[in-house]
């Protein structure tokens, strides 16, 4: 049956366009129930025995949630107890338009067979489709469509079970909808009353999201925050320039401060500083907000105070005393920032948060404060009856709302993750907190893997260069199984050198658009944690078929140069190939071969040739202004039995690290130029923007404190300044300066060439760059491989590859995933560092001051490549006399003045007083300041165990 609607629309040119919309109605849309004999469904989803113990519904029943129940109670619906749910098409379409995250979660639940969730396309069923009536709102029409579909199900099941006991239950929290449904003769309950009727499931009650009516019950009547403006006023304010729209970023070190990054291009102001609870006005990290800018006389400087919201009570206490600390330092007009206040929230970007429960002091209380693991997120007030069981556990909580008369947002319990401090639990927390996809690969994804045993076919050989005879080898960190790249170098008959970079041909196995490709694109990158790796592609590819292991034939994508002995490129060619690596070496093994004069085999000759050319290439890059920065990286030695860290060292870089890096850079630059020449609008490239001059302020101040000048006009000027920055009798000074310079840099990002005009890579001093050399662990490289394959006629193209807008949105996801992976890796290192020091007791070490704050100094310990903070204000004892000078910056503590890069001696221990935020605590030993520094503790030697590198 066909229904059509015809209407006319005026075009921009002033013409009239007739539009006809056709809507097909069908009789063959089945109910999806096992009990139904009328519907000819060969694979019914809804079970006959749909029993769930309830005080309200003692009979078997199917649930039909309305749109608001689905949107707000998704945590309930995801619970294993809730099964046999009918998701109406009307509801699914509304959810899709209103919340992409909830839509994805409900789609996942529908695909989960054990849940028995069935999608009923009521909008195309002849008996359940309804037209919108004159004067009826779209929302009222959809509510009526839900009631009509529920009524049809109730009648249909009654008829097909001969009046049996199987029923449908409509869940709605809309009072008017509930009343109308009851008039229809439907069984209907509010979500809360239905969930509370379920027997023996208190955890489900805790998962209930609060409705606005419920939220008013848990808060005081005193107004703590200004009212948010309605959306209509916000939109007109943004349009006329009175308000600015941006994304709110909370300050990790100071809960009373945040910054709004303005989204619109062409604005004179791109950041607005917010200070104080009233001006933050219930904004949560990552929310899109509207801000009102203060006049210039009210602008302030960012605070140097470290403030954390860790007061033990959960009352809506006054914050005046704490907020006064923000105003303790007279403002320096040179560092004043545009300042303002949040007047409304345009879009909430809330997600479920991991953390721990702070139990209320009141006995038998059901309302408690939840402290998120992420210090940028405010504490959340939740209601739970299982607080005693959740003590010491990592849990997940979702925010429901933040009323203007509540100090904290209100939320609900989602799930228990495990015991705090447990390695598995903490790893799960850091993966969830950094949004790292880490579930096992689904059967749909695994179905696209090649069938084993796999081998290279004659067809493969016909379209590839046979390079199996070349003396190719790989050089990687110890224990590496996902070997992306291999190299060779040999002399040609004409006296020149042939150098090849051979990269795993992952794009041969991952074809565009299939489930395996979509999963890899979503993950974006492999994430390396301490002792754990979250693969971007299944292990069969990452550690086997794509890994360029020694003495096996592998498919590769080769970039081969003919060079003279001065490392000048004469000719470049790209080809799909077959290789057979002759050796898989570690950096140390390759270095030993190069250094051992008695060795002269083909592999060693190849390595020496590569190493000599790499030094020339590096020298040439440095001359152009490429930066050599520093970042302390650490390596843990792990106990082979307990898997606890028993030793911690900074990673030592060898010549061979630099050798491999140089040829990877050269391959990336060569490929970038090739794909841009062929596809100027849709090449996936990588750029590193030059930092704004203000980023260098701290670096220039730090150098000036040692009477040195740093020039930042260009990368070349900065590189030369860093090379010349030395201080007599202070050999580590230059490394400290380079570490500081690294902090001044912008983030390198992927972008689509057709959507940008600035391609320059600042750090590498290269006009164009991309990523080609690590397709096993980076999805960007797979796209680059596909582009290059099309460019050399080795593969066919597809529409998305040539669509610059789709490439650009892909780049946004890749940039996000790479950033989150970096943060997750740092969090993993921090957790293992704590484990290491927990087992060591108190250790004394020398360090250097990296940053000076208003009430603290941040210290780098070179031996362990770690940072920690010495606070000079302590709640338990009187604070010393402090005087902070932002110009230095310097901090005077009693009679001693601290400068950046000063050498200090500290004790290092783990402060476990806060189970959730266990942290490395540092206390000052030297210089000795009476009442501030601590005496030298006696450290006990710890016996070493068998160890395994991580």
């Amino acid at each position: 049956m066909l229904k059509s609607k015809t209407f006319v629309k005026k075009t921009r040119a002033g013409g009239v366009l007739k539009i006809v919309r056709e809507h097909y109605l069908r009789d063959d849309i089945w109910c999806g129930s096992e009990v139904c004999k009328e519907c000819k469904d060969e694979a019914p989803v809804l079970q006959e025995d749909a029993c769930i113990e309830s005080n309200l519904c003692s009979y078997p029943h199917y649930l039909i949630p309305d749109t608001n129940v689905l949107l707000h109670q998704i945590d309930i619906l995801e619970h294993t107890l809730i099964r046999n749910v009918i998701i109406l098409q009307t509801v699914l379409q509304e959810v899709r338009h209103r919340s992409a995250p909830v839509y994805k979660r409900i789609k996942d639940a529908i695909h989960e067979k054990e849940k028995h969730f069935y999608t009923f396309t009521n909008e195309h069923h002849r008996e359940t489709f309804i037209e919108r009536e004159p004067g009826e709102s779209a929302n009222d029409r959809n509510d009526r469509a839900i009631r009509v579909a529920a009524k049809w199900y109730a009648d249909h099941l009654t008829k097909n079970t001969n009046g049996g006991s199987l029923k449908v239950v409509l869940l709605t929290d809309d009072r008017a909808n509930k009343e109308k449904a009851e008039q229809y003769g439907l069984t209907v309950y509010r979500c809360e009353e239905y969930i509370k009727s379920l027997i023996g499931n208190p955890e489900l009650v805790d998962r209930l999201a609060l409705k606005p009516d419920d939220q008013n019950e848990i808060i005081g009547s005193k107004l703590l925050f200004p009212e948010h403006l309605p959306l209509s006023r916000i939109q007109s304010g943004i349009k006329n320039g009175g308000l600015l729209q941006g994304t709110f970023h909370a300050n990790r070190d100071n809960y009373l401060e945040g910054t709004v990054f303005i989204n619109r291009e062409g604005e004179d102001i791109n950041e607005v500083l917010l200070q104080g609870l009233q001006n933050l006005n219930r904004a949560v990290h990552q929310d899109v907000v509207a801000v009102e800018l203060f006049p210039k006389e009210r602008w302030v400087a960012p605070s140097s105070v470290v403030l954390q919201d860790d007061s033990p009570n959960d009352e809506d206490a006054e914050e005046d005393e704490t907020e006064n600390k923000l105003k303790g330092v007279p403002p320096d007009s040179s560092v004043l920032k545009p300042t303002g206040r949040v007047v409304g929230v345009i879009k909430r970007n809330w997600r479920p948060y991991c953390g721990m429960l702070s139990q209320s002091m009141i006995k038998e209380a059901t309302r408690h404060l939840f402290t998120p693991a992420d210090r940028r997120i405010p504490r959340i007030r939740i209601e739970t009856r299982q607080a005693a069981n959740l003590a010491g556990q990592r849990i997940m909580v979702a925010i429901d709302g933040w009323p203007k008369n509540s100090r904290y947002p209100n939320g609900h319990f989602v799930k228990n993750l495990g015991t705090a401090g447990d390695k598995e639990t903490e790893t799960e927390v850091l993966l969830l907190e950094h949004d790292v996809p880490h579930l096992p690969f689904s059967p749909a994804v695994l179905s696209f893997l090649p069938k084993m045993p796999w081998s290279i076919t004659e067809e493969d050989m016909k379209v590839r260069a046979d390079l199996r005879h070349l003396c190719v080898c790989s050089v990687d960190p110890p224990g590496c199984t996902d070997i992306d790249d291999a190299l060779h170098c040999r002399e040609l008959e004409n006296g020149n050198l042939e150098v090849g970079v051979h990269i795993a041909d992952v794009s041969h196995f991952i074809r565009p658009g299939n489930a395996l490709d979509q999963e890899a694109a979503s993950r974006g990158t492999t994430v390396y944690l301490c002792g754990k790796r979250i693969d971007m592609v299944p292990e069969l590819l990452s550690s086997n078929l794509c890994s360029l292991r020694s003495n096996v034939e592998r498919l590769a994508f080769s970039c081969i140069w003919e060079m003279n002995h001065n490392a000048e490129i004469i000719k470049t060619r790209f080809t799909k190939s077959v290789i057979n690596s002759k050796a898989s070496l570690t950096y140390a093994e390759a270095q030993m071969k190069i250094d051992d004069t008695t060795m002269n085999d083909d592999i060693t000759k190849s390595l020496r040739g590569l190493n000599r050319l790499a030094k020339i290439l590096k020298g040439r890059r440095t001359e152009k202004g490429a930066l050599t920065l520093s970042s302390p990286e650490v390596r843990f030695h792990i106990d082979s039995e307990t898997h606890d860290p028993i030793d911690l060292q900074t990673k030592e870089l060898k010549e061979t690290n630099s050798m491999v890096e140089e040829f990877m850079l050269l391959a990336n630059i060569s490929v970038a130029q090739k794909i841009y020449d062929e596809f100027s609008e849709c090449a996936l490239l990588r750029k590193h923007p030059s930092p704004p001059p203000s980023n260098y302020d701290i670096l220039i101040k730090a150098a000036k404190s040692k009477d040195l000048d740093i020039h930042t006009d260009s990368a070349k000027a900065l590189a030369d300044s860093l090379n010349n920055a030395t201080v007599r009798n202070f050999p580590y000074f230059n490394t400290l300066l380079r570490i500081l310079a690294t902090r001044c840099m912008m983030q390198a990002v992927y972008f689509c060439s057709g959507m940008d005009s600035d391609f320059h890579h600042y750090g590498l001093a290269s006009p164009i760059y991309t990523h080609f050399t690590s397709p096993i662990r980076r999805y960007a490289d797979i796209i680059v491989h596909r582009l290059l394959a099309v460019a050399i006629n080795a593969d066919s193209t597809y529409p998305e590859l040539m669509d610059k807008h789709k490439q650009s949105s892909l780049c946004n996801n890749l940039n996000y995933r790479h950033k989150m992976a970096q943060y997750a890796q740092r969090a993993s290192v921090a957790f293992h560092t704590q484990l290491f020091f927990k087992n060591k007791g108190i250790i004394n070490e020398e360090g250097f001051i990296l940053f000076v704050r208003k009430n603290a100094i941040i210290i780098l310990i070179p031996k362990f490549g770690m940072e920690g903070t010495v606070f000079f204000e302590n709640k338990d004892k009187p604070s010393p006399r402090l005087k902070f000078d932002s110009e230095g910056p310097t901090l005077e503590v009693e009679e001693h003045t601290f400068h950046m890069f000063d050498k200090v001696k500290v004790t290092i221990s783990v402060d476990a007083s806060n189970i959730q935020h266990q942290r490395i605590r540092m206390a000052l030993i030297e210089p000795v300041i009476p009442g501030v520094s601590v005496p030298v503790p006696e450290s006990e030697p710890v016996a070493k165990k068998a160890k395994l590198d991580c």
Side-chain angles (χ1 to χ4, degrees):
M1 180 179 168
L2 175 67
K3 278 189 172 286
S4 65
K5 184 183 283 188
T6 306
F7 56 96
V8 290
K9 181 181 172 184
K10 197 173 180 181
T11 64
R12 281 185 181 178
V16 174
L17 187 68
K18 183 180 178 183
I19 296 174
V20 179
R21 284 202 179 142
E22 295 182 337
H23 191 91
Y24 289 89
L25 299 180
R26 299 170 55 165
D27 298 317
D28 59 347
I29 295 172
W30 316 131
C31 70
S33 173
E34 285 180 347
V35 299
C36 181
K37 301 293 182 283
E38 182 182 323
C39 295
K40 301 175 181 65
D41 196 344
E42 291 178 7
V45 173
L46 301 165
Q47 294 171 294
E48 183 176 355
D49 182 23
C51 289
I52 183 168
E53 286 190 82
S54 162
N55 293 325
L56 285 175
C57 312
S58 55
Y59 40 81
H61 57 276
Y62 301 148
L63 296 174
I64 300 181
D66 75 357
T67 306
N68 282 323
V69 168
L70 197 55
L71 279 169
H72 302 301
Q73 306 293 357
I74 184 68
D75 292 318
I76 291 281
L77 294 170
E78 283 179 330
H79 194 277
T80 51
L81 187 74
I82 305 299
R83 296 193 298 273
N84 294 294
V85 176
I86 299 162
I87 307 294
L88 300 177
Q89 181 188 1
T90 308
V91 172
L92 204 56
Q93 286 173 342
E94 275 198 283
V95 169
R96 185 177 187 176
H97 290 131
R98 287 170 61 182
S99 173
V102 173
Y103 179 73
K104 184 183 183 306
R105 287 169 70 182
I106 197 64
K107 289 290 281 184
D108 288 345
I110 290 166
H111 290 139
E112 210 176 309
K113 286 184 178 176
E114 300 76 36
K115 294 283 291 173
H116 299 282
F117 276 34
Y118 180 67
T119 308
F120 180 64
T121 47
N122 61 303
E123 296 290 355
H124 289 279
H125 193 290
R126 192 204 291 259
E127 294 179 40
T128 57
F129 171 75
I130 59 164
E131 299 267 15
R132 186 170 162 187
E133 293 175 350
E136 188 177 37
S137 71
N139 191 51
D140 288 345
R141 181 263 167 207
N142 287 342
D143 282 349
R144 187 161 60 88
I146 292 166
R147 295 193 297 272
V148 167
K151 177 67 174 164
W152 178 86
Y153 253 105
D155 296 345
H156 181 78
L157 290 174
T158 303
K159 184 173 74 175
N160 284 285
T161 54
N162 298 320
S165 59
L166 184 62
K167 290 186 168 54
V168 291
V169 173
L170 177 64
L171 296 182
T172 180
D173 289 327
D174 183 319
R175 192 172 296 154
N177 196 20
K178 185 172 184 287
E179 286 171 3
K180 287 175 183 174
E182 285 167 344
Q183 288 166 15
Y184 255 58
L186 291 170
T187 306
V188 56
Y189 297 112
R190 285 185 303 110
C191 186
E192 183 184 0
E193 66 178 323
Y194 176 79
I195 294 302
K196 286 183 174 176
S197 79
L198 300 180
I199 298 164
N201 284 284
E203 188 188 315
L204 259 181
V205 177
D206 286 352
R207 283 191 179 211
L208 278 167
L210 294 172
K211 304 188 301 299
D213 296 351
D214 301 329
Q215 291 185 24
N216 292 329
E217 292 173 14
I218 4 179
I219 50 185
S221 55
K222 181 182 170 186
L223 282 181
L224 297 174
F225 295 101
E227 185 89 59
H228 284 156
L229 295 180
L231 204 54
S232 56
R233 289 221 8 225
I234 290 172
Q235 286 167 340
S236 62
I238 291 168
K239 199 171 181 180
N240 65 33
L243 301 177
L244 297 170
Q245 176 178 328
T247 305
F248 173 69
H249 285 238
N251 186 328
R252 197 186 295 273
D253 297 320
N254 186 339
Y255 75 100
L256 295 176
E257 187 172 277
T259 306
V260 174
F261 291 91
I262 306 305
N263 302 338
R264 202 161 75 187
E265 286 184 17
E267 290 285 354
D268 297 334
I269 291 168
N270 52 21
E271 287 180 30
V272 178
L273 183 68
L274 312 174
Q275 281 191 353
L277 282 176
Q278 296 274 309
N279 296 331
L280 295 173
N281 196 6
R282 296 170 282 158
V284 177
H285 184 64
Q286 294 290 3
D287 282 350
V288 179
V289 297
V291 287
E292 177 186 70
L293 204 60
F294 292 152
K296 284 194 176 179
E297 56 269 22
R298 289 182 64 189
W299 288 10
V300 296
S303 169
S304 300
V305 181
V306 178
L307 284 178
Q308 256 131 38
D309 183 13
D310 50 8
S311 55
N313 65 65
D314 62 348
E315 300 304 312
D316 294 328
E318 294 284 341
E319 297 285 337
D320 296 348
E321 187 184 327
T322 315
E323 294 202 18
N324 284 337
K325 291 185 182 179
L326 295 176
K327 304 165 189 168
V329 178
D332 174 355
S333 59
S334 66
V335 291
L336 294 181
K337 294 255 178 137
T339 309
R341 67 187 183 105
V342 170
V343 294
V345 176
I346 296 164
K347 186 187 177 198
R348 290 290 194 188
N349 277 321
W350 295 339
R351 59 176 175 82
Y353 301 102
C354 302
M356 293 183 74
L357 202 64
S358 309
Q359 254 184 290
S360 170
M361 300 296 186
I362 305 163
K363 203 177 177 186
E364 304 299 321
T366 58
R367 290 165 191 159
H368 309 269
L369 276 183
F370 162 84
T371 305
D374 187 343
R375 287 197 181 274
R376 294 169 300 186
I377 306 300
R379 293 201 277 180
I380 302 163
R381 192 180 275 114
I382 70 166
E383 195 166 334
T384 177
R385 287 156 189 78
Q386 40 176 348
N389 298 334
L390 297 177
Q393 300 289 298
R394 288 282 201 177
I395 64 171
M396 195 182 259
V397 159
I399 298 179
D400 297 325
W402 195 342
K404 58 183 178 290
N405 45 355
S406 171
R407 168 68 180 81
Y408 298 109
N410 297 320
H412 66 272
F413 169 83
V414 175
K415 68 174 172 181
N416 187 348
L417 298 169
T419 307
D422 174 73
K423 270 204 291 288
E424 288 298 315
T425 303
E426 295 302 327
T427 300
E428 175 76 4
V429 166
L430 74 88
L431 290 170
L432 288 166
E433 279 296 289
H434 296 99
D435 194 18
V436 175
H438 59 285
L439 292 175
F441 291 101
S442 69
V445 169
L446 298 175
S447 70
F448 286 96
L449 290 174
K451 302 294 178 278
M452 297 301 285
W454 173 87
S455 62
I456 295 169
T457 65
E458 283 182 28
E459 285 71 26
D460 292 327
M461 295 303 297
K462 282 176 191 171
V463 293
R464 291 174 180 268
D466 187 352
L467 305 181
R468 291 175 294 183
H469 61 285
L470 293 178
C471 189
V472 172
C473 68
S474 61
V475 184
D476 290 284
C480 178
T481 60
D482 51 345
I483 302 171
D484 286 287
D485 54 88
L487 302 135
H488 88 270
C489 176
R490 64 172 179 167
E491 195 156 335
L492 297 173
E493 289 177 5
N494 63 7
N496 287 334
L497 296 169
E498 180 185 84
V499 176
V501 165
H502 311 278
I503 306 300
D505 189 4
V506 182
S507 63
H508 172 84
F509 297 96
I510 300 180
R511 303 310 294 165
N514 67 25
L516 178 56
D517 182 49
Q518 288 170 3
E519 182 68 20
S522 170
R523 295 187 178 216
T525 181
T526 292
V527 182
Y528 295 91
L529 307 179
C530 295
K532 189 181 179 79
R533 188 179 82 199
I534 316 295
D535 282 323
M536 180 184 81
V537 297
E539 195 178 14
L540 178 65
L541 296 183
S542 65
S543 295
N544 187 351
L545 302 185
C546 291
S547 184
L548 304 182
R549 301 185 303 183
S550 56
N551 302 313
V552 288
E553 292 179 359
R554 287 288 178 259
L555 302 179
F557 210 149
S558 300
C559 174
I560 299 168
W561 303 277
E562 185 179 331
M563 291 182 177
N564 62 23
H565 287 263
N566 196 30
E568 291 164 337
I569 298 170
I570 295 157
K571 197 164 66 179
T572 305
R573 74 181 174 110
F574 306 100
T575 180
K576 294 260 187 164
S577 61
V578 179
I579 65 166
N580 189 325
S581 173
K582 303 299 182 278
S584 300
L585 305 172
T586 64
Y587 290 115
E589 287 166 350
Q591 193 67 54
M592 280 168 58
K593 278 182 174 289
I594 291 168
D595 296 341
D596 188 344
T597 52
T598 64
M599 297 190 79
N600 213 22
D601 57 277
D602 287 346
I603 291 171
T604 305
K605 282 184 197 169
S606 179
L607 288 169
R608 285 185 187 136
L610 290 165
N611 199 38
R612 189 181 63 77
L613 291 169
K615 287 177 182 175
I616 299 168
L617 289 168
K618 186 170 186 176
R620 203 172 289 147
R621 277 197 316 109
T622 307
E623 280 170 32
K624 286 182 185 173
L627 296 173
T628 306
L629 300 176
S630 186
S631 175
E633 286 191 75
V634 296
R635 172 176 290 274
F636 292 97
H637 295 289
I638 303 289
D639 187 291
S640 52
E641 291 175 12
T642 65
H643 300 291
D644 284 339
I646 53 172
D647 199 3
L648 175 60
Q649 298 169 339
T650 48
K651 287 183 182 175
E652 182 192 352
L653 297 179
K654 300 185 183 297
E655 255 185 21
T656 44
N657 289 77
S658 179
M659 175 190 80
V660 172
E661 182 186 16
E662 285 307 316
F663 286 107
M664 297 306 114
L665 293 176
L666 189 62
N668 287 334
I669 292 166
S670 297
V671 170
Q673 193 61 58
K674 177 69 177 175
I675 62 172
Y676 177 63
D677 289 344
E678 293 286 335
F679 309 110
S680 60
E681 285 292 294
C682 58
L684 192 153
L685 302 174
R686 187 166 176 81
K687 69 173 180 177
H688 183 212
S690 53
S694 59
N695 277 32
Y696 289 121
D697 290 350
I698 191 74
L699 181 68
I700 292 166
K701 282 181 183 179
K704 198 167 268 185
S705 71
K706 301 293 181 187
D707 297 320
L708 292 167
D709 287 327
I710 295 288
H711 300 286
T712 59
D713 325 52
S714 66
K716 172 77 173 142
L718 176 61
D720 291 343
S721 299
L722 289 172
N723 290 339
N724 297 328
T726 55
V727 173
R728 187 180 292 177
N729 300 324
F730 192 174
Y732 198 66
F733 171 78
N734 191 264
T735 304
L736 284 169
L737 209 58
R738 289 180 193 276
I739 289 170
L740 206 55
T742 306
R743 310 289 168 90
C744 302
M745 292 298 131
M746 304 291 283
Q747 187 80 34
V749 289
Y750 296 110
F751 69 101
C752 176
S753 59
M755 305 290 281
D756 209 325
S757 55
D758 175 21
F759 293 6
H760 190 73
H761 197 293
Y762 181 79
L764 298 173
S766 175
I768 194 164
Y769 191 68
T770 193
H771 272 162
F772 164 76
T773 55
S774 296
I776 294 176
R777 61 186 180 87
R778 291 189 305 232
Y779 188 75
D781 302 51
I782 292 177
I783 295 294
V784 170
H785 276 228
R786 289 174 182 168
L787 287 164
L788 184 60
V790 175
I792 65 168
N793 297 315
D795 205 345
S796 54
T797 185
Y798 56 100
E800 288 79 7
L801 194 65
M802 298 296 145
D803 186 329
K804 65 180 182 181
H805 298 285
K806 289 201 171 148
Q807 288 281 47
S808 189
S809 73
L810 173 66
C811 288
N812 291 339
N813 179 57
L814 295 179
N815 291 328
Y816 171 72
R817 291 294 184 207
H818 277 260
K819 184 172 69 174
M820 289 296 110
Q822 262 183 342
Y823 292 161
Q825 285 156 13
R826 286 179 204 163
S828 180
V829 168
F831 174 65
H832 280 76
T833 303
Q834 286 171 15
L835 283 181
F836 169 72
F837 284 107
K838 209 171 186 178
N839 299 332
K840 289 285 181 185
I842 298 176
I843 292 176
N844 317 325
E845 278 301 333
E846 288 186 340
F848 298 96
I849 297 176
L850 256 191
F851 299 102
V852 177
R853 298 284 187 248
K854 187 184 162 191
N855 61 346
I857 52 176
I858 294 165
I859 292 160
L860 174 74
I861 308 295
K863 180 178 175 183
F864 300 127
M866 60 172 282
E867 290 172 34
T869 306
V870 172
F871 290 95
F872 294 114
E873 288 182 328
N874 196 318
K875 290 177 184 173
D876 306 330
K877 59 181 184 180
S879 297
R881 185 172 53 79
L882 304 175
K883 185 180 176 185
F884 177 70
D885 178 10
S886 60
E887 197 54 43
T890 60
L891 178 64
E892 195 178 308
V893 182
E894 296 296 341
E895 302 302 319
H896 185 88
T897 304
F898 290 101
H899 306 82
M900 289 178 71
F901 302 158
D902 281 359
K903 195 173 189 178
V904 293
K905 194 168 187 181
V906 293
T907 65
I908 307 170
S909 59
V910 173
D911 175 8
S913 58
N914 181 331
I915 301 174
Q916 163 151 264
H917 289 124
Q918 293 189 35
R919 58 187 176 193
I920 301 292
R921 180 176 287 283
M922 291 189 181
L924 196 66
I925 300 175
E926 293 174 10
V928 176
I929 304 172
V932 175
S933 51
V934 298
V936 182
E938 291 182 19
S939 49
E940 297 175 16
V942 180
K944 285 196 172 185
K945 296 181 184 177
K947 64 187 183 184
L948 186 72
D949 273 359
C950 160

